[in-house]
Amino acid sequence: MGVGIKLDPNYLSPEASPAEISQWQDRVDYVHSVLVDGTGPGAAFLGWLYPDALMPAELLSGIEATAVRLREKADVMVVIGIGGSYLGARAVIEALAGSDAGRVVFAGQTLAPDYIASLLKSLKGKRWCINVVSKSGTTTEPAVAFRLLRAALEEQVGVEAAKDLIVATTDPDAGKSALRRVATTKGYELFDVPPNVGGRFSVLSAVGILPIAFAGVDVRALVKGAANCCAACETSAVKSNPAYYWVAARNLLYRQGKSIELLATWDPRLLYFAEWWKQLVGESEGKDHMSLFPASVQYTTDLHSMGQWVQDGRRSLLETFISIEDASPSVRIPDDPDNADGLNFLTGTEIGEVNRKAFEGTALAHRDGGVPNMTISIPKLDAYHLGALIYFFERGTAVSGYLLGVNPFDQPGVEAYKTNMFALLKKPGSEAKSAEVLRRVEEGRKLAPIGFE
Ligand code: PA5
Protein backbone atom coordinates (compact mmCIF):
# COMPACT_ATOMS: atom_id res chain seq x y z
CA MET A 1 0.00 0.00 0.00
CA GLY A 2 1.36 3.43 -0.94
CA VAL A 3 1.79 6.20 1.60
CA GLY A 4 -0.58 8.59 -0.15
CA ILE A 5 0.83 11.85 1.22
CA LYS A 6 1.22 14.66 -1.30
CA LEU A 7 2.53 18.20 -1.01
CA ASP A 8 1.17 20.90 -3.30
CA PRO A 9 3.90 23.57 -3.65
CA ASN A 10 2.10 25.90 -6.08
CA TYR A 11 1.46 28.79 -3.70
CA LEU A 12 4.97 28.84 -2.28
CA SER A 13 6.22 30.82 -5.25
CA PRO A 14 7.61 33.36 -5.79
CA GLU A 15 9.40 33.33 -2.40
CA ALA A 16 10.09 29.60 -2.42
CA SER A 17 10.02 28.50 -6.05
CA PRO A 18 10.98 24.94 -7.05
CA ALA A 19 14.30 26.31 -8.32
CA GLU A 20 15.07 27.89 -4.93
CA ILE A 21 13.98 24.76 -3.09
CA SER A 22 16.24 22.60 -5.23
CA GLN A 23 19.18 24.73 -4.10
CA TRP A 24 18.65 23.20 -0.64
CA GLN A 25 19.21 19.68 -1.92
CA ASP A 26 22.85 19.41 -0.84
CA ARG A 27 22.08 20.57 2.69
CA VAL A 28 19.09 18.23 2.91
CA ASP A 29 21.23 15.32 1.65
CA TYR A 30 23.77 16.07 4.33
CA VAL A 31 21.35 16.26 7.27
CA HIS A 32 19.48 13.21 5.95
CA SER A 33 22.68 11.18 6.16
CA VAL A 34 23.51 12.65 9.58
CA LEU A 35 20.09 11.51 10.80
CA VAL A 36 20.17 8.06 9.23
CA ASP A 37 23.79 7.41 10.22
CA GLY A 38 23.09 8.58 13.77
CA THR A 39 25.99 11.01 13.81
CA GLY A 40 24.13 14.21 14.77
CA PRO A 41 23.35 15.82 18.13
CA GLY A 42 20.87 13.83 20.18
CA ALA A 43 21.62 10.62 18.27
CA ALA A 44 20.88 8.66 21.44
CA PHE A 45 17.20 9.54 20.89
CA LEU A 46 16.54 8.03 17.47
CA GLY A 47 14.44 5.09 18.67
CA TRP A 48 11.42 6.52 16.79
CA LEU A 49 13.22 6.49 13.43
CA TYR A 50 12.12 2.97 12.46
CA PRO A 51 8.49 2.44 13.57
CA ASP A 52 8.64 -1.33 13.03
CA ALA A 53 11.55 -1.60 15.43
CA LEU A 54 9.92 0.76 17.92
CA MET A 55 6.76 -1.37 17.95
CA PRO A 56 7.73 -5.00 17.24
CA ALA A 57 4.88 -7.49 16.66
CA GLU A 58 5.18 -9.13 20.08
CA LEU A 59 4.99 -5.83 21.95
CA LEU A 60 2.06 -4.69 19.82
CA SER A 61 0.16 -7.91 20.62
CA GLY A 62 0.94 -7.50 24.32
CA ILE A 63 -0.39 -3.94 24.34
CA GLU A 64 -3.53 -4.98 22.43
CA ALA A 65 -4.12 -7.77 24.95
CA THR A 66 -3.82 -5.29 27.83
CA ALA A 67 -6.23 -2.92 26.09
CA VAL A 68 -8.75 -5.76 25.72
CA ARG A 69 -8.31 -6.75 29.37
CA LEU A 70 -8.84 -3.17 30.52
CA ARG A 71 -11.86 -2.70 28.26
CA GLU A 72 -13.49 -5.71 29.91
CA LYS A 73 -13.07 -4.13 33.32
CA ALA A 74 -13.46 -0.44 32.60
CA ASP A 75 -15.56 1.84 30.44
CA VAL A 76 -13.25 4.83 30.82
CA MET A 77 -9.47 5.14 30.82
CA VAL A 78 -7.83 8.13 32.48
CA VAL A 79 -4.52 8.81 30.75
CA ILE A 80 -2.26 10.72 33.13
CA GLY A 81 0.59 12.52 31.40
CA ILE A 82 1.79 15.84 30.05
CA GLY A 83 3.50 17.02 26.85
CA GLY A 84 4.71 14.12 24.78
CA SER A 85 3.25 11.71 27.28
CA TYR A 86 -0.33 12.53 26.28
CA LEU A 87 -0.57 14.78 23.21
CA GLY A 88 0.06 12.06 20.62
CA ALA A 89 -2.53 9.71 22.10
CA ARG A 90 -5.05 12.52 22.34
CA ALA A 91 -4.36 13.59 18.74
CA VAL A 92 -5.00 10.12 17.36
CA ILE A 93 -7.98 9.34 19.58
CA GLU A 94 -9.76 12.60 18.79
CA ALA A 95 -9.07 12.15 15.08
CA LEU A 96 -10.13 8.53 14.77
CA ALA A 97 -12.08 7.12 17.69
CA GLY A 98 -15.40 8.77 16.86
CA SER A 99 -17.95 8.30 19.62
CA ASP A 100 -15.46 6.10 21.54
CA ALA A 101 -13.14 9.09 21.99
CA GLY A 102 -15.00 9.91 25.20
CA ARG A 103 -13.83 6.60 26.67
CA VAL A 104 -10.39 8.11 27.16
CA VAL A 105 -10.05 11.19 29.34
CA PHE A 106 -6.90 13.05 30.31
CA ALA A 107 -5.32 14.23 33.54
CA GLY A 108 -1.92 15.43 34.67
CA GLN A 109 -1.70 17.92 31.79
CA THR A 110 -2.89 20.81 33.99
CA LEU A 111 -2.64 21.93 37.60
CA ALA A 112 -5.96 23.78 37.45
CA PRO A 113 -7.90 22.63 40.54
CA ASP A 114 -11.31 22.87 38.90
CA TYR A 115 -10.26 20.48 36.11
CA ILE A 116 -9.14 17.70 38.42
CA ALA A 117 -12.05 18.23 40.83
CA SER A 118 -14.56 17.99 37.97
CA LEU A 119 -12.82 14.92 36.57
CA LEU A 120 -12.86 13.15 39.94
CA LYS A 121 -16.55 13.98 40.29
CA SER A 122 -17.35 12.72 36.81
CA LEU A 123 -15.64 9.37 37.49
CA LYS A 124 -17.72 8.58 40.57
CA GLY A 125 -19.81 5.46 40.04
CA LYS A 126 -18.17 4.68 36.70
CA ARG A 127 -15.99 1.69 35.82
CA TRP A 128 -12.61 3.28 35.13
CA CYS A 129 -8.92 2.54 34.90
CA ILE A 130 -5.67 4.51 34.82
CA ASN A 131 -2.77 4.58 32.40
CA VAL A 132 -0.13 6.76 34.01
CA VAL A 133 2.54 7.80 31.51
CA SER A 134 5.76 9.52 32.49
CA LYS A 135 9.17 8.71 31.12
CA SER A 136 11.04 10.40 33.96
CA GLY A 137 8.45 9.29 36.46
CA THR A 138 8.94 12.50 38.42
CA THR A 139 7.14 15.18 36.40
CA THR A 140 5.11 17.23 38.88
CA GLU A 141 1.81 17.60 37.02
CA PRO A 142 1.21 13.88 36.30
CA ALA A 143 2.69 12.80 39.64
CA VAL A 144 0.23 15.03 41.51
CA ALA A 145 -2.68 13.82 39.38
CA PHE A 146 -1.65 10.19 39.87
CA ARG A 147 -1.71 10.59 43.66
CA LEU A 148 -5.22 11.99 43.51
CA LEU A 149 -6.61 9.53 40.97
CA ARG A 150 -4.98 6.47 42.48
CA ALA A 151 -6.42 7.37 45.89
CA ALA A 152 -9.86 7.86 44.34
CA LEU A 153 -9.72 4.55 42.48
CA GLU A 154 -8.51 2.66 45.54
CA GLU A 155 -11.27 4.23 47.57
CA GLN A 156 -13.86 3.23 44.98
CA VAL A 157 -12.84 -0.37 44.27
CA GLY A 158 -10.38 -1.25 47.01
CA VAL A 159 -6.58 -1.46 46.92
CA GLU A 160 -6.46 -5.02 45.55
CA ALA A 161 -8.90 -4.45 42.68
CA ALA A 162 -7.24 -1.13 41.82
CA LYS A 163 -3.99 -3.00 41.12
CA ASP A 164 -5.54 -4.58 38.03
CA LEU A 165 -6.89 -1.26 36.85
CA ILE A 166 -3.63 0.69 36.84
CA VAL A 167 -1.00 0.43 34.12
CA ALA A 168 2.19 2.48 34.21
CA THR A 169 4.24 3.43 31.15
CA THR A 170 7.70 4.68 32.08
CA ASP A 171 11.47 4.34 31.72
CA PRO A 172 12.64 0.74 32.14
CA ASP A 173 15.36 1.80 34.57
CA ALA A 174 14.04 1.86 38.14
CA GLY A 175 17.06 3.94 39.09
CA LYS A 176 15.77 6.70 36.83
CA SER A 177 12.01 6.44 37.23
CA ALA A 178 10.28 6.82 40.59
CA LEU A 179 7.08 5.75 38.82
CA ARG A 180 8.64 2.39 37.92
CA ARG A 181 9.64 1.86 41.53
CA VAL A 182 6.12 2.65 42.75
CA ALA A 183 4.49 0.49 40.06
CA THR A 184 6.77 -2.44 40.77
CA THR A 185 6.15 -2.25 44.51
CA LYS A 186 2.41 -1.99 44.05
CA GLY A 187 2.26 -4.71 41.38
CA TYR A 188 0.87 -2.66 38.48
CA GLU A 189 1.34 -3.81 34.90
CA LEU A 190 4.19 -1.91 33.26
CA PHE A 191 5.18 -0.85 29.77
CA ASP A 192 8.44 0.80 28.79
CA VAL A 193 9.04 4.23 27.35
CA PRO A 194 12.09 3.29 25.30
CA PRO A 195 15.13 5.10 26.73
CA ASN A 196 16.08 6.17 23.19
CA VAL A 197 12.78 7.98 22.50
CA GLY A 198 11.86 11.44 23.78
CA GLY A 199 8.29 12.26 24.77
CA ARG A 200 7.27 14.19 21.65
CA PHE A 201 8.49 11.36 19.40
CA SER A 202 6.83 8.64 21.49
CA VAL A 203 3.24 8.38 20.22
CA LEU A 204 3.95 5.18 18.29
CA SER A 205 5.52 3.48 21.33
CA ALA A 206 3.54 2.06 24.27
CA VAL A 207 3.07 5.70 25.37
CA GLY A 208 0.45 6.28 22.69
CA ILE A 209 -0.43 2.81 21.52
CA LEU A 210 -2.06 1.57 24.75
CA PRO A 211 -4.59 4.42 25.15
CA ILE A 212 -5.18 4.49 21.40
CA ALA A 213 -5.91 0.75 21.39
CA PHE A 214 -8.20 1.18 24.41
CA ALA A 215 -10.16 3.73 22.36
CA GLY A 216 -10.69 1.05 19.70
CA VAL A 217 -8.45 2.53 16.99
CA ASP A 218 -6.67 0.13 14.61
CA VAL A 219 -3.15 0.46 16.04
CA ARG A 220 -1.73 -2.01 13.54
CA ALA A 221 -2.75 0.21 10.65
CA LEU A 222 -1.38 3.25 12.48
CA VAL A 223 2.06 1.65 12.87
CA LYS A 224 1.96 0.28 9.30
CA GLY A 225 1.27 3.75 7.89
CA ALA A 226 4.22 5.16 9.83
CA ALA A 227 6.50 2.30 8.76
CA ASN A 228 5.58 2.75 5.11
CA CYS A 229 6.20 6.49 5.32
CA CYS A 230 9.58 5.70 6.88
CA ALA A 231 10.42 3.40 3.98
CA ALA A 232 9.39 6.12 1.51
CA CYS A 233 11.72 8.57 3.27
CA GLU A 234 14.67 6.50 2.13
CA THR A 235 15.15 9.07 -0.60
CA SER A 236 16.45 12.46 0.38
CA ALA A 237 15.48 14.03 -2.97
CA VAL A 238 13.22 16.97 -2.17
CA LYS A 239 11.44 16.50 -5.50
CA SER A 240 10.18 13.08 -4.50
CA ASN A 241 10.10 13.28 -0.70
CA PRO A 242 7.31 15.65 0.42
CA ALA A 243 8.51 15.60 4.04
CA TYR A 244 11.82 17.03 2.90
CA TYR A 245 10.13 19.50 0.54
CA TRP A 246 8.21 20.81 3.57
CA VAL A 247 11.50 21.07 5.46
CA ALA A 248 13.32 22.91 2.67
CA ALA A 249 10.42 25.31 2.07
CA ARG A 250 9.97 26.27 5.73
CA ASN A 251 13.71 26.72 6.28
CA LEU A 252 14.06 28.83 3.16
CA LEU A 253 11.12 31.02 4.19
CA TYR A 254 12.47 31.29 7.74
CA ARG A 255 15.74 32.60 6.37
CA GLN A 256 13.80 35.11 4.30
CA GLY A 257 12.30 36.53 7.51
CA LYS A 258 9.11 34.56 8.02
CA SER A 259 8.81 33.93 11.74
CA ILE A 260 5.54 31.99 12.12
CA GLU A 261 4.32 28.77 10.56
CA LEU A 262 0.59 28.35 10.77
CA LEU A 263 -0.71 24.79 10.51
CA ALA A 264 -4.23 25.10 9.13
CA THR A 265 -6.68 22.20 9.29
CA TRP A 266 -10.17 21.91 7.86
CA ASP A 267 -11.70 19.34 10.20
CA PRO A 268 -12.23 19.65 13.98
CA ARG A 269 -11.05 16.06 14.37
CA LEU A 270 -7.54 17.39 13.75
CA LEU A 271 -7.58 19.94 16.56
CA TYR A 272 -5.33 17.86 18.81
CA PHE A 273 -3.20 16.74 15.89
CA ALA A 274 -2.29 20.42 15.58
CA GLU A 275 -1.56 20.55 19.33
CA TRP A 276 0.72 17.53 18.99
CA TRP A 277 2.43 19.12 15.95
CA LYS A 278 3.06 22.36 17.83
CA GLN A 279 4.82 20.51 20.62
CA LEU A 280 6.81 18.39 18.18
CA VAL A 281 8.03 21.37 16.19
CA GLY A 282 8.23 23.92 19.01
CA GLU A 283 10.12 21.78 21.51
CA SER A 284 12.41 20.35 18.85
CA GLU A 285 13.39 23.60 17.12
CA GLY A 286 12.82 26.45 19.56
CA LYS A 287 16.41 26.80 20.71
CA ASP A 288 19.24 29.33 20.59
CA HIS A 289 16.66 32.09 19.98
CA MET A 290 15.89 30.66 16.57
CA SER A 291 13.20 28.96 14.54
CA LEU A 292 9.70 29.46 13.22
CA PHE A 293 6.99 29.78 15.87
CA PRO A 294 4.53 26.92 15.28
CA ALA A 295 0.92 28.06 15.53
CA SER A 296 -2.34 26.52 14.38
CA VAL A 297 -5.79 27.44 13.16
CA GLN A 298 -8.84 25.41 12.37
CA TYR A 299 -10.75 26.57 9.32
CA THR A 300 -13.32 27.59 8.37
CA THR A 301 -14.01 28.32 12.07
CA ASP A 302 -10.96 30.54 12.51
CA LEU A 303 -11.45 32.35 9.22
CA HIS A 304 -14.02 34.25 11.25
CA SER A 305 -11.54 35.09 14.01
CA MET A 306 -7.91 34.90 12.87
CA GLY A 307 -8.71 35.10 9.15
CA GLN A 308 -8.43 38.89 9.10
CA TRP A 309 -4.94 38.77 10.64
CA VAL A 310 -3.78 36.06 8.29
CA GLN A 311 -5.06 37.93 5.25
CA ASP A 312 -3.96 41.44 6.19
CA GLY A 313 -1.81 41.46 9.34
CA ARG A 314 1.97 41.59 9.59
CA ARG A 315 3.53 39.60 6.74
CA SER A 316 5.51 37.24 8.96
CA LEU A 317 3.58 34.06 8.12
CA LEU A 318 3.87 30.94 6.09
CA GLU A 319 0.96 28.56 6.11
CA THR A 320 0.83 24.78 5.87
CA PHE A 321 -2.61 23.37 5.08
CA ILE A 322 -3.58 19.83 5.98
CA SER A 323 -6.17 18.56 3.54
CA ILE A 324 -8.18 15.33 3.70
CA GLU A 325 -9.23 14.43 0.16
CA ASP A 326 -12.09 12.14 1.15
CA ALA A 327 -15.07 14.34 1.98
CA SER A 328 -17.36 11.60 3.32
CA PRO A 329 -19.83 11.14 4.86
CA SER A 330 -22.16 12.59 2.31
CA VAL A 331 -24.21 15.42 3.78
CA ARG A 332 -26.21 17.31 1.16
CA ILE A 333 -27.63 20.78 1.55
CA PRO A 334 -31.44 20.66 1.35
CA ASP A 335 -33.66 22.80 -0.84
CA ASP A 336 -35.58 25.67 0.74
CA PRO A 337 -38.54 26.86 -1.37
CA ASP A 338 -38.36 30.32 0.28
CA ASN A 339 -34.65 30.71 -0.51
CA ALA A 340 -34.54 33.55 2.01
CA ASP A 341 -30.81 33.00 2.56
CA GLY A 342 -30.17 32.94 -1.20
CA LEU A 343 -28.43 29.58 -0.92
CA ASN A 344 -30.58 27.53 -3.29
CA PHE A 345 -27.68 27.56 -5.78
CA LEU A 346 -26.16 25.05 -3.33
CA THR A 347 -29.19 22.76 -3.13
CA GLY A 348 -27.98 19.16 -3.38
CA THR A 349 -24.32 20.12 -2.95
CA GLU A 350 -22.30 18.17 -0.40
CA ILE A 351 -21.05 20.16 2.60
CA GLY A 352 -17.66 18.53 2.03
CA GLU A 353 -17.57 20.14 -1.40
CA VAL A 354 -18.32 23.56 0.12
CA ASN A 355 -15.51 22.96 2.63
CA ARG A 356 -13.17 22.12 -0.26
CA LYS A 357 -14.07 25.26 -2.19
CA ALA A 358 -13.57 27.29 1.00
CA PHE A 359 -10.12 25.74 1.26
CA GLU A 360 -9.22 26.43 -2.39
CA GLY A 361 -10.49 30.00 -2.12
CA THR A 362 -8.60 30.58 1.13
CA ALA A 363 -5.30 29.22 -0.15
CA LEU A 364 -5.54 31.55 -3.16
CA ALA A 365 -6.62 34.55 -1.07
CA HIS A 366 -3.79 34.05 1.40
CA ARG A 367 -1.30 33.69 -1.45
CA ASP A 368 -2.64 36.94 -2.92
CA GLY A 369 -2.33 38.51 0.53
CA GLY A 370 1.37 37.65 0.74
CA VAL A 371 1.24 34.40 2.72
CA PRO A 372 3.24 31.69 0.95
CA ASN A 373 1.46 28.41 1.56
CA MET A 374 1.65 24.73 0.79
CA THR A 375 -0.85 21.92 1.18
CA ILE A 376 -0.10 18.50 2.58
CA SER A 377 -2.89 16.10 1.72
CA ILE A 378 -3.86 12.59 2.72
CA PRO A 379 -6.51 10.57 0.86
CA LYS A 380 -8.52 9.71 3.97
CA LEU A 381 -8.52 10.31 7.72
CA ASP A 382 -7.94 6.75 8.87
CA ALA A 383 -5.39 5.02 11.08
CA TYR A 384 -3.06 4.13 8.21
CA HIS A 385 -2.81 7.64 6.77
CA LEU A 386 -2.68 9.34 10.17
CA GLY A 387 0.20 7.06 11.15
CA ALA A 388 1.96 8.06 7.94
CA LEU A 389 1.33 11.76 8.63
CA ILE A 390 2.67 11.46 12.17
CA TYR A 391 5.86 9.92 10.85
CA PHE A 392 6.04 12.52 8.04
CA PHE A 393 6.22 15.31 10.62
CA GLU A 394 8.51 13.44 13.02
CA ARG A 395 10.98 12.81 10.22
CA GLY A 396 10.60 16.30 8.81
CA THR A 397 11.04 17.94 12.22
CA ALA A 398 14.22 15.99 12.96
CA VAL A 399 15.73 16.91 9.60
CA SER A 400 14.55 20.51 9.94
CA GLY A 401 16.15 20.83 13.39
CA TYR A 402 19.45 19.61 12.01
CA LEU A 403 19.20 22.08 9.11
CA LEU A 404 18.67 24.82 11.64
CA GLY A 405 21.74 23.68 13.53
CA VAL A 406 20.04 22.66 16.79
CA ASN A 407 19.67 19.39 18.66
CA PRO A 408 16.02 18.48 17.88
CA PHE A 409 15.86 15.88 20.63
CA ASP A 410 16.52 17.83 23.82
CA GLN A 411 14.46 20.44 25.67
CA PRO A 412 16.76 22.30 28.07
CA GLY A 413 14.47 25.33 28.18
CA VAL A 414 11.67 23.37 29.85
CA GLU A 415 13.70 23.20 33.07
CA ALA A 416 13.67 26.95 33.82
CA TYR A 417 10.09 27.12 35.12
CA LYS A 418 10.50 23.89 37.07
CA THR A 419 13.55 25.21 38.93
CA ASN A 420 11.66 28.33 39.99
CA MET A 421 8.46 26.44 40.84
CA PHE A 422 10.30 23.93 43.04
CA ALA A 423 12.21 26.73 44.73
CA LEU A 424 8.94 28.55 45.46
CA LEU A 425 7.35 25.33 46.73
CA LYS A 426 10.44 24.78 48.92
CA LYS A 427 11.24 21.34 47.55
CA PRO A 428 13.91 19.71 49.73
CA GLY A 429 17.27 20.35 48.13
CA SER A 430 16.29 23.69 46.62
CA GLU A 431 16.71 25.78 49.80
CA ALA A 432 19.55 27.91 48.43
CA LYS A 433 17.69 28.56 45.20
CA SER A 434 14.46 29.23 47.17
CA ALA A 435 15.85 32.30 48.89
CA GLU A 436 17.10 33.72 45.60
CA VAL A 437 13.89 33.03 43.67
CA LEU A 438 11.72 34.40 46.49
CA ARG A 439 13.81 37.56 46.59
CA ARG A 440 13.51 38.02 42.83
CA VAL A 441 9.77 37.40 42.84
CA GLU A 442 9.42 40.03 45.61
CA GLU A 443 11.56 42.46 43.63
CA GLY A 444 9.40 41.79 40.63
CA ARG A 445 6.43 43.07 42.64
CA LYS A 446 7.87 46.55 43.17
CA LEU A 447 5.17 48.18 41.10
CA ALA A 448 1.68 48.08 42.56
CA PRO A 449 -0.90 46.27 40.39
CA ILE A 450 -3.23 48.41 38.35
CA GLY A 451 -6.81 47.33 38.89
CA PHE A 452 -10.45 48.08 39.59
CA GLU A 453 -11.73 47.92 43.18
O1 PA5 B 1 8.68 15.78 24.71
C1 PA5 B 1 9.07 15.74 25.87
O2 PA5 B 1 10.14 15.18 26.17
C2 PA5 B 1 8.27 16.35 26.99
O3 PA5 B 1 7.13 16.98 26.50
C3 PA5 B 1 7.83 15.28 27.96
O4 PA5 B 1 7.08 14.33 27.29
C4 PA5 B 1 7.02 15.88 29.12
O5 PA5 B 1 7.75 16.90 29.74
C5 PA5 B 1 6.64 14.82 30.12
O6 PA5 B 1 7.77 14.19 30.62
P1 PA5 B 1 7.65 12.80 31.36
O7 PA5 B 1 7.15 11.80 30.40
O8 PA5 B 1 9.02 12.50 31.84
O9 PA5 B 1 6.68 12.99 32.51
Side-chain angles (χ1 to χ4, degrees), residues 266 298-308 319 358 362 366:
W266 293 86
Q298 188 213 297
Y299 294 153
T300 62
T301 313
D302 290 335
L303 288 172
H304 299 262
S305 59
M306 293 304 291
Q308 173 62 38
E319 202 169 22
T362 302
H366 289 180

Side-chain angles (χ1 to χ4, degrees), residues 325-370:
E325 284 165 15
D326 170 38
S328 62
S330 167
V331 181
R332 287 187 190 278
I333 297 170
D335 187 48
D336 178 354
D338 296 338
N339 197 25
D341 54 14
L343 286 179
N344 271 359
F345 73 99
L346 290 176
T347 296
T349 308
E350 307 225 1
I351 289 189
E353 179 64 5
V354 180
N355 203 25
R356 170 144 295 275
K357 294 304 166 201
F359 156 54
E360 289 172 6
T362 302
L364 177 62
H366 289 180
R367 175 59 278 177
D368 289 345

